[in-house]
């Protein structure tokens, strides 16, 4: 390229990728993958409804730090806190990284441990076929920090990842590993604004009979631009459960790539997204890809979106049943409630099935709030705003039901109610 | 098959179905007609485009229109988004124009048509004699023949060999003729509407069709006229290494109604053949068009050799308020099907419906579905798609439902069900849903399952063999779509369902 030719933003971004210490071979392989696939454009099938420009730009769009006036969502819960400030591990604000049945390391320490080396980037690489996920490869190549969790028994309490945002131009890239050994169980919580632009990836390896629970809250830091990915592999009789509550946010893309490799395994992924365009643009994209590669697997995708004032909700969900994955039970529901004329919901619920003895179904509905239900409530003396809030809560309830523990469901409900109270009318 | 007589007729499966199951045979239309043909040189280029235009004695504007399409086509990429493995097609290694020598001088009436051609259609059950109703319809004898007359336009390779009942239709003001004839005799209508629904460069195959289409059917129903009989086009590919590119243009003027049927077959051959058609339908205010297809092109043999590559663009434009269009398709043939009959619901309160059965057996691949583009207020659409996969086949439903911001108070309901027979095939669903206003309601449901063991057991316990039992269950699965077809087609379709699945069990 001659000096006068201007590089495109994507070329600049790729040229700037540097590989931090540790996991050298894995990072180099990821960079190779990334360069081979390139960054996405609007013409990419998987980006047809979400504009990747802000994720591609060499520098993030500045975002003012967000100060939360609500109490921290998991504040009351007994947990092991791990804090990242603008994407850098904050030892002082974090608890000691020790808990019985769990080994916790910091990615930036570039630990030379076998289990982490063989997992880092592996699930992400597997998840690149058949759909390319360039921001995940970018993450594996250049993540600067993260946490490596290995669970050998039942964790005594949840691990809580808390992200804080202080610099207007922070652009953190975090990569977490969670490895659950046979029969192990852990809950991972995530919340807090992480930076102006956030690229986060979590690889979760669920061994035989192990159970992984994930509850995440993305929220209120309205100027956030986040692209997140979860890659998981679920072995025989394993369980993977993930729930995300998203409220507001200029641009959020949450990808979840689930590979069911063992018989009788379960994978559930759910999300509730609340967007009000009044505080600025809201664009939320849930992209899920579940591969059933073993027999008698069960998967659930439950996604609900409540959109108003020009908010945009996207759902791209896929169930792929490989040949031989007999007795698979796959279910997918994506629904959205449009609270005004200007909001929109775009969905692509896909099934690709190569085994005959399976039960797979999906449903998708979009529409306004049910006038009859609203009328019913109002005729019994419930004011319109309250009635609307009630109906919204009942609409998202199915997604919240996917959370197993009541204390987390309650915490999420409180958040939801808070959002509804702030976004009336 | 003694057991059949005792079969209890279940809801949605009638006795005819059971009988047609008895008569199951392999592809019935695989023979060819030995007839002297005239070919244009192989390949496609501007000379060929001119030659086709010339053979059809077209005016200059038509030739220009084709050349424009051709130049756009040359720069267009082949679409690759469908879940299809399409072998490399050498577009220069086939004939784009083939007509029976006897058609060089166009016969003035059906009496002058080469008896060999008439016999071909006779054998296909498509009589080109006006006093007869569509053959192959048993149980239709008790129906008043006057009510069941069907006008047929028969297209043989690149040319239309004849159109029946033209005079009777003309009395009602309906124009039904081949498109080559329409270009000469009704240029103002063709000029106004051709390409107005599917533009020349709409997609790769539509652009190719726009450049080289050789014939097809043309229908114009004037305002307020209810077409006195069903119209039908029967497409037959006969010549080897020849693509068929036909173009159909249907215009239903204000307050009119027409029901149109389309059927297609081709001989069995080892090499694949290309078929790239375009159908454009214009539906004005208060008009209604029903378009039904039974697509039974040669699907290739059990090893996946030969068959038709069917790349078709079909689109209806509901231009006026309260316009209504209904697509019904039974797709059982073709080695590859790439087809998405669509509805643009532009007029307020316009309606689009799509009913489809797609059956893929052996090595067939089908990627088919619809688009419902809601632009007008209070528009309605309904999609019912039944996909059946057997053998090593791959069957995909691909659809789009789009509610534009101004399409307020609109509704869509989509139901796609897939049935898998055997563990080597695939069934896929790829719906796109875009909702940009909140007073509209969009509902989408899809299921995938296998043939129900209990139902099979029930049938078998009553003496049916497994293939018969599967055919019965499948017919039940398809019932909603079969019911949407005109009677003649419904019966043919039912028997086709059985034939297509032959050999898929056990």
């Amino acid at each position: 390229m001659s000096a006068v030719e201007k590089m495109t933003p994507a070329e600049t971004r790729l040229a700037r990728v540097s590989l931090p210490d540790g996991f050298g071979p894995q990072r180099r392989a990821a960079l190779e993958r990334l360069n081979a696939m390139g960054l996405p454009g609007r013409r990419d099938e998987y980006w047809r409804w979400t504009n990747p420009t802000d994720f591609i730009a060499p520098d993030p769009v500045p975002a003012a730090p967000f100060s939360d006036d609500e109490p921290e969502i998991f504040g009351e819960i007994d947990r092991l806190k791990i804090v990242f400030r603008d994407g850098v591990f904050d030892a002082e604000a974090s608890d000691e990284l020790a808990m019985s049945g769990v080994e916790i390391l910091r990615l930036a320490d570039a630990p030379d441990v076998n289990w982490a080396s063989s997992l880092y980037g592996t699930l992400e690489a597997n998840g690149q076929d058949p759909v390319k996920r360039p921001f995940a490869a970018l993450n594996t190549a250049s993540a600067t920090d993260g946490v490596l969790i290995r669970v050998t028994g039942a964790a005594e309490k949840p691990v809580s990842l808390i992200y804080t945002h202080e610099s207007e131009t922070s652009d953190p890239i975090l990569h977490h590993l969670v490895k659950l050994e046979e029969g192990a169980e852990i809950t991972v919580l995530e919340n807090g604004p992480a930076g102006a632009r956030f690229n986060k990836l979590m690889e979760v390896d669920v061994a035989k009979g192990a159970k992984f629970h994930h509850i995440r809250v993305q929220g209120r830091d309205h100027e956030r631009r986040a692209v997140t990915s979860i890659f998981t592999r679920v072995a025989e009789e394993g369980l993977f459960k993930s729930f995300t509550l998203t409220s507001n946010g200029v641009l959020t893309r949450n990808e979840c790539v689930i590979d069911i490799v063992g018989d009788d395994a379960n994978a559930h992924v759910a999300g509730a997204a609340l967007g009000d365009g009044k505080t600025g643009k809201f664009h939320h994209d849930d992209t899920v890809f579940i591969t059933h590669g073993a027999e008698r697997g069960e998967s659930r995708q439950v996604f609900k979106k409540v959109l108003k004032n020009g908010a945009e909700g996207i759902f791209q969900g896929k169930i792929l049943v490989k040949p031989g994955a007999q007795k698979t039970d796959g279910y997918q529901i994506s629904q959205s409630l449009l609270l005004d004329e200007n909001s929109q919901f775009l969905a692509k619920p896909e099934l690709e099935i190569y085994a005959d003895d399976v039960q797979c179904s999906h449903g998708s509905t979009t529409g306004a709030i049910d006038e009859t239900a609203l009328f019913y409530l109002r005729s019994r003396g419930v004011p319109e705003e309250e009635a609307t809030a009630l109906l919204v809560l009942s609409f998202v309830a199915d997604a919240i039901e996917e959370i197993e523990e009541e204390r987390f469901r309650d915490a999420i409900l409180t958040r939801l109610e808070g959002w509804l109270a702030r976004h009336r009318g | 098959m003694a057991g059949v007589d005792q079969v209890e007729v279940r809801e949605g499966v009638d006795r005819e179905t059971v009988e047609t199951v008895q008569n199951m045979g392999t592809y019935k239309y695989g023979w060819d007609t030995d007839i002297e043909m005239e070919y244009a040189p192989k390949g496609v280029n501007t000379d060929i485009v001119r030659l086709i235009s010339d053979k059809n004695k077209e005016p200059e504007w038509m030739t220009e229109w084709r050349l424009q399409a051709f130049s756009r086509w040359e720069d267009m990429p082949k679409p690759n988004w469908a879940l299809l493995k399409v072998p490399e097609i050498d577009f220069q290694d086939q004939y784009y124009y083939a007509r029976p020598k006897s058609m060089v001088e166009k016969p003035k009436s059906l009496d002058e048509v080469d008896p060999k051609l008439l016999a071909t259609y006779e054998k296909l059950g498509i009589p080109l004699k006006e006093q007869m109703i569509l053959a192959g319809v048993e149980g239709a004898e008790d129906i008043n023949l006057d009510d069941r007359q069907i006008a047929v336009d028969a297209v043989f390779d690149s040319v239309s060999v004849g159109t029946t009942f033209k005079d009777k239709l003309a009395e009602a003001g309906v124009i039904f003729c081949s498109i080559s004839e329409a270009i000469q005799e009704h240029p103002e209508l063709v000029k106004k509407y051709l390409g107005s629904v599917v533009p020349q460069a709409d997609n790769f195959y539509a652009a190719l069709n726009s450049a080289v289409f050789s014939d097809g059917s043309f229908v114009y129903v004037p305002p307020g006229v209810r077409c006195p009989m069903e119209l039908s086009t029967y497409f037959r590919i006969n010549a080897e290494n020849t693509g068929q590119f036909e173009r159909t243009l249907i215009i239903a003027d204000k307050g009119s109604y027409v029901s149109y049927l389309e059927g297609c077959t081709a001989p069995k051959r080892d090499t694949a053949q290309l078929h790239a058609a375009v159908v454009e339908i214009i539906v004005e205010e208060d008009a209604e068009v029903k378009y039904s297809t039974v697509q039974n092109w040669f699907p290739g043999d059990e090893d996946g050799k030969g068959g038709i590559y069917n790349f078709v663009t079909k689109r209806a434009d509901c231009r006026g308020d309260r316009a209504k269009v209904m697509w019904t398709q039974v797709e059982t043939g073709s080695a590859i099907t790439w087809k998405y009959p669509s509805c643009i619901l532009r007029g307020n309160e316009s309606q689009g419906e799509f009913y489809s059965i797609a059956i893929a057996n052996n090595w067939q691949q089908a990627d088919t579905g619809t688009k419902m583009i809601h632009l007008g207020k209070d528009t309605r659409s309904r999609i019912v798609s039944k996909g059946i996969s057997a053998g090593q086949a791959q069957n995909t439903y691909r659809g789009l439902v789009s509610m534009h911001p101004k399409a307020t108070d609109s509704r869509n309901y989509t139901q796609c069900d897939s049935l898998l027979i055997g563990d080597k095939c695939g069934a896929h669903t790829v719906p796109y849903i875009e909702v940009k206003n909140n007073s509209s309601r969009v509902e989408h449901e899809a299921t995938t399952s296998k043939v129900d063991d209990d139902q099979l057991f029930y049938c078998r316990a009553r003496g049916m063999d497994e293939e018969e039992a599967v055919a019965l269950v499948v017919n039940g699965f398809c019932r909603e779509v079969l019911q949407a077809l005109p009677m003649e087609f419904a019966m043919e379709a039912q028997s086709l369902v059985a034939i297509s699945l032959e050999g898929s069990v056990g």
Side-chain angles (χ1 to χ4, degrees):
Chain A
M1 189 179 305
S2 71
V4 283
E5 262 184 89
K6 226 177 137 198
M7 281 163 86
T8 65
E11 286 163 350
T12 311
R13 185 79 195 273
L14 290 176
R16 276 203 214 164
V17 172
S18 64
L19 308 184
D21 289 343
F23 304 104
Q26 293 86 342
R27 289 181 189 274
R28 283 191 293 276
L31 183 59
E32 222 166 273
R33 279 199 288 284
L34 174 62
N35 284 325
M37 68 182 92
L39 290 167
R42 287 296 316 249
R43 291 187 156 252
D44 280 60
E45 170 63 19
Y46 270 73
W47 291 89
R48 62 187 291 132
W49 289 323
T50 295
N51 184 346
T53 305
D54 288 348
F55 296 138
I56 290 169
D59 299 299
V61 179
F66 174 75
S67 63
D68 206 337
D69 52 357
E70 279 180 310
E72 200 220 315
I73 178 165
F74 302 122
E76 300 292 309
I77 285 165
D78 180 26
R79 60 197 166 148
L80 188 142
K81 279 199 294 181
I82 302 176
V83 179
F84 291 90
R85 192 181 301 277
D86 283 321
V88 182
F89 174 67
D90 182 343
E92 225 160 86
S94 303
D95 292 331
E96 195 190 333
L97 302 186
M99 178 163 53
S100 81
V102 184
E103 176 189 343
I104 305 173
L105 304 161
R106 186 185 165 193
L107 180 80
D109 291 339
D112 187 17
V113 285
N114 259 336
W115 74 264
S117 301
S118 59
L119 182 56
Y120 189 87
T122 308
L123 303 185
E124 176 261 302
N126 288 345
Q128 293 288 357
D129 185 51
V131 178
K132 298 290 171 239
R133 305 172 193 283
F135 296 109
L138 173 74
N139 182 302
T140 300
S142 59
T144 46
D145 216 336
V147 61
L148 316 179
I149 302 171
R150 180 166 163 258
V151 193
T152 49
E156 62 176 279
K157 53 189 170 185
V159 166
S160 175
L161 307 175
I162 300 163
Y163 308 113
T164 60
H165 175 200
E166 286 176 6
S167 155
E168 268 198 12
T169 54
S170 58
D171 188 15
I173 301 182
L174 296 183
H175 192 119
H176 306 308
L177 296 184
V178 183
K179 185 174 171 64
L180 290 108
E181 302 290 1
E182 196 171 320
E185 180 167 8
I186 196 170
T187 298
V188 172
L189 309 172
E190 286 186 282
N191 68 292
R197 179 170 69 180
F198 190 27
N199 179 337
K200 194 207 65 191
L201 192 154
M202 191 187 283
E203 293 181 278
V204 184
D205 194 11
V206 182
K208 185 178 174 186
K211 291 177 180 165
F212 176 76
H213 307 271
H214 175 230
I215 296 126
R216 162 168 66 171
V217 177
Q218 295 173 312
R220 298 202 60 198
D221 50 324
H222 189 75
E223 294 173 51
R224 166 196 78 242
R225 286 165 172 82
V227 55
T228 79
S229 336
I230 296 172
F231 290 86
T232 186
R233 173 168 65 192
V234 190
E236 210 178 328
E237 290 164 20
L239 170 74
F240 170 90
K241 268 194 137 177
S242 171
F243 171 88
T244 303
L245 172 72
T246 309
S247 51
N248 294 10
V250 176
L251 177 62
T252 311
R253 161 92 158 205
N254 291 335
E255 294 196 15
C256 189
V257 184
I258 298 172
D259 201 4
I260 295 179
V261 297
D263 294 342
D264 302 294
N266 274 287
H268 292 218
V269 53
L274 310 161
D276 184 350
K278 210 171 176 179
T279 31
K281 193 175 151 56
F282 174 84
H283 183 100
H284 181 84
D285 175 337
D286 286 303
T287 293
V288 180
F289 198 112
I290 300 184
T291 305
H292 283 269
E295 291 191 13
R296 294 178 302 277
E298 178 196 279
S299 71
R300 293 285 175 269
Q301 298 172 55
V302 182
F303 285 87
K304 304 273 182 162
K305 291 181 173 65
V306 179
L307 306 165
K308 64 196 281 192
N309 291 315
E312 297 162 5
I314 313 294
F315 174 75
Q316 307 185 92
K318 180 157 184 172
I319 302 174
L320 169 67
V321 179
K322 286 189 172 175
Q326 298 294 16
K327 308 272 181 212
T328 287
D329 175 0
Y331 177 70
Q332 180 192 66
I333 181 93
S334 59
Q335 294 180 299
S336 88
L337 197 56
L338 304 180
L339 294 180
D340 64 34
E341 274 298 309
N342 303 318
S343 299
Q344 48 180 270
F345 178 58
L346 313 171
K348 185 183 169 198
E350 259 184 285
L351 302 174
E352 188 173 341
I353 295 167
Y354 298 94
D356 61 338
D357 192 7
V358 300
Q359 259 193 324
C360 284
S361 58
H362 65 220
S364 178
T365 64
T366 314
I369 215 151
D370 183 353
E371 288 295 331
T372 323
L374 195 63
F375 179 78
Y376 178 91
L377 288 170
R378 294 201 58 197
S379 67
R380 272 145 192 84
V382 182
E384 183 166 353
E385 285 188 352
E386 214 169 293
T388 306
L390 265 174
L391 291 172
V392 169
L393 278 177
S394 76
F395 171 77
V396 294
D398 290 348
I400 295 170
E401 281 300 309
E402 285 289 320
I403 303 171
E404 275 193 9
E405 279 190 66
E406 197 181 351
R407 54 181 176 157
F408 300 127
R409 279 203 299 272
D410 290 347
I412 295 288
L413 271 174
T414 309
R415 274 289 153 130
L416 256 170
E417 282 161 1
W419 188 88
L420 286 166
R422 285 192 305 278
H423 295 270
R424 290 204 162 170
Chain B
M1 239 172 272
V4 171
D5 295 336
Q6 287 95 49
V7 171
E8 288 198 25
V9 177
R10 287 194 324 130
E11 196 193 345
V13 183
D14 47 28
R15 193 158 292 280
E16 277 88 339
T17 314
V18 182
E19 282 158 14
T20 48
V21 170
Q22 287 178 288
N23 300 331
M24 281 198 309
T26 41
Y27 191 69
K28 281 202 293 195
Y29 309 103
W31 42 270
D32 58 3
T33 307
D34 186 14
I35 193 164
E36 230 183 314
M37 298 296 287
E38 179 198 62
Y39 292 92
K42 259 191 185 177
V44 59
N45 51 51
T46 51
D47 289 343
I48 292 290
V49 173
R50 280 179 196 284
L51 185 132
I52 292 169
S53 188
D54 192 47
K55 293 247 182 227
N56 286 348
K57 303 193 178 62
E58 288 174 358
E60 187 57 30
W61 60 265
M62 195 63 233
T63 316
E64 280 307 311
W65 195 85
R66 287 173 178 277
L67 288 168
Q68 256 175 24
F70 181 75
S71 87
R72 295 291 294 275
W73 177 75
E74 284 185 300
D75 300 330
M76 286 175 92
K78 264 201 291 286
N80 61 359
W81 37 259
L83 264 175
L84 297 172
K85 287 195 183 106
V86 183
E88 198 52 48
I89 300 168
D90 186 350
F91 289 92
Q92 298 304 341
D93 190 31
Q94 44 196 315
Y95 296 107
Y96 285 77
Y97 190 85
R99 73 173 162 190
K101 279 231 165 105
S102 55
M103 293 297 294
V104 171
E105 278 307 315
K106 266 211 166 165
K108 287 179 190 59
S109 74
L110 282 169
D111 301 336
E112 291 177 20
V113 170
D114 186 341
K116 264 191 187 167
L117 285 171
L118 292 177
T120 300
Y121 284 90
E122 197 75 49
K123 200 168 166 189
L124 292 167
I126 311 296
L128 294 178
K129 285 186 185 153
E130 302 197 343
Q131 71 274 24
M132 289 171 74
I133 59 161
L134 204 61
V137 183
E138 286 135 51
E141 293 84 16
D142 49 347
I143 294 162
N144 185 348
L145 286 184
D146 283 341
D147 294 345
R148 301 304 311 174
Q149 282 173 338
I150 295 172
V152 180
D153 181 31
V155 177
F156 190 88
D157 288 325
S158 301
V159 291
S160 166
V161 297
T163 311
T164 61
F165 290 109
K166 273 168 94 167
D167 299 341
K168 189 164 179 192
L169 287 167
E171 269 171 45
V174 175
I175 304 170
F176 180 42
C177 60
S178 70
I179 195 136
S180 53
E181 225 173 304
I183 291 168
Q184 290 172 31
E185 283 166 32
H186 307 282
E188 69 300 335
L189 287 173
V190 176
K191 225 172 174 172
K192 181 172 170 194
Y193 291 108
L194 187 74
S196 72
V197 184
V198 179
Q200 285 152 303
D202 187 81
N203 66 67
F204 182 83
Y205 296 104
L208 180 61
N209 175 288
S210 300
V212 301
F213 76 86
S214 46
D215 219 334
S217 303
F218 176 84
V219 178
Y220 174 77
V221 191
V225 171
R226 197 181 160 85
C227 188
M229 62 181 79
E230 311 238 18
L231 305 184
S232 152
T233 302
Y234 198 90
F235 296 103
R236 174 75 176 170
I237 294 181
N238 189 61
E240 237 174 327
N241 295 322
T242 304
Q244 191 176 54
F245 304 89
E246 87 272 1
R247 187 130 191 149
T248 301
L249 180 57
I250 299 174
I251 303 139
D253 217 324
K254 286 179 186 173
S256 67
Y257 168 85
V258 63
S259 168
Y260 186 92
L261 321 172
E262 180 198 81
C264 16
T265 55
K268 275 187 183 178
R269 298 197 199 285
D270 287 350
T271 49
Q273 275 177 285
L274 185 62
H275 172 254
V278 172
V279 176
E280 294 180 275
I281 303 180
I282 292 104
V283 195
E284 299 287 5
E285 204 174 285
D286 293 309
E288 181 177 347
V289 175
K290 277 189 186 175
Y291 193 106
S292 314
T293 307
V294 172
Q295 187 264 100
N296 190 19
W297 294 119
F298 178 53
D301 65 13
E302 299 91 72
D303 303 320
K305 264 176 103 180
I308 299 290
Y309 293 171
N310 192 29
F311 295 96
V312 175
T313 307
K314 291 185 169 180
R315 198 172 299 153
D317 189 354
C318 289
R319 297 212 172 141
D321 292 353
R322 296 168 302 281
K324 192 176 169 191
V325 68
M326 180 167 139
W327 294 104
T328 307
Q329 61 171 25
V330 178
E331 300 284 316
T332 59
S334 296
I336 295 174
T337 300
W338 180 97
K339 180 180 170 188
Y340 316 91
S342 304
C343 302
I344 302 169
L345 304 172
R346 209 184 292 277
N348 294 335
E349 296 171 54
S350 55
Q351 286 185 40
E353 290 176 44
F354 175 79
Y355 297 93
S356 169
I357 299 171
I359 301 176
N361 194 2
N362 295 323
W363 295 89
Q364 280 178 278
Q365 304 178 64
D367 195 297
T368 180
T370 184
K371 286 183 184 182
M372 292 290 173
I373 316 285
H374 291 253
L375 302 173
K377 291 186 193 2
D378 291 301
T379 46
R380 301 275 180 279
S381 67
R382 186 181 162 87
I383 298 170
V384 177
S385 162
K386 307 282 179 177
I388 298 156
S389 314
Q392 325 264 345
Q394 300 299 328
N395 199 340
T396 303
Y397 168 81
R398 184 181 301 276
L400 166 70
V401 173
S402 174
M403 295 283 179
H404 279 241
K406 287 181 179 158
T408 50
D409 298 302
S410 299
R411 296 278 180 279
N412 161 265
Y413 173 74
T414 302
Q415 168 85 44
C416 336
D417 296 321
S418 306
L419 196 61
L420 291 140
I421 302 172
D423 58 2
K424 301 273 189 308
C425 53
H428 321 302
T429 316
V430 190
Y432 294 79
I433 302 161
E434 304 185 347
V435 185
K436 299 186 176 176
N437 73 67
N438 81 326
S439 53
S440 296
R441 213 176 153 72
V442 177
E443 290 170 276
H444 174 101
E445 277 180 66
T447 63
T448 303
S449 55
K450 70 170 200 164
V451 175
D452 189 78
D453 284 336
D454 292 344
Q455 291 178 10
L456 275 186
F457 180 77
Y458 180 92
C459 295
R460 298 214 52 194
R462 274 146 189 84
M464 302 180 82
D465 69 31
E466 194 164 354
E467 280 190 4
E468 281 177 280
V470 167
L472 259 177
V473 173
V474 166
N475 256 320
F477 172 77
C478 298
R479 186 183 52 186
E480 281 163 280
V481 178
L482 290 171
Q483 283 170 349
L485 282 168
M487 189 195 64
E488 292 79 2
F489 268 29
M491 292 184 179
E492 192 189 339
Q494 280 190 342
S495 56
L496 267 178
V497 167
I499 289 163
S500 303
L501 291 170
E502 199 203 355
S504 64
V505 187

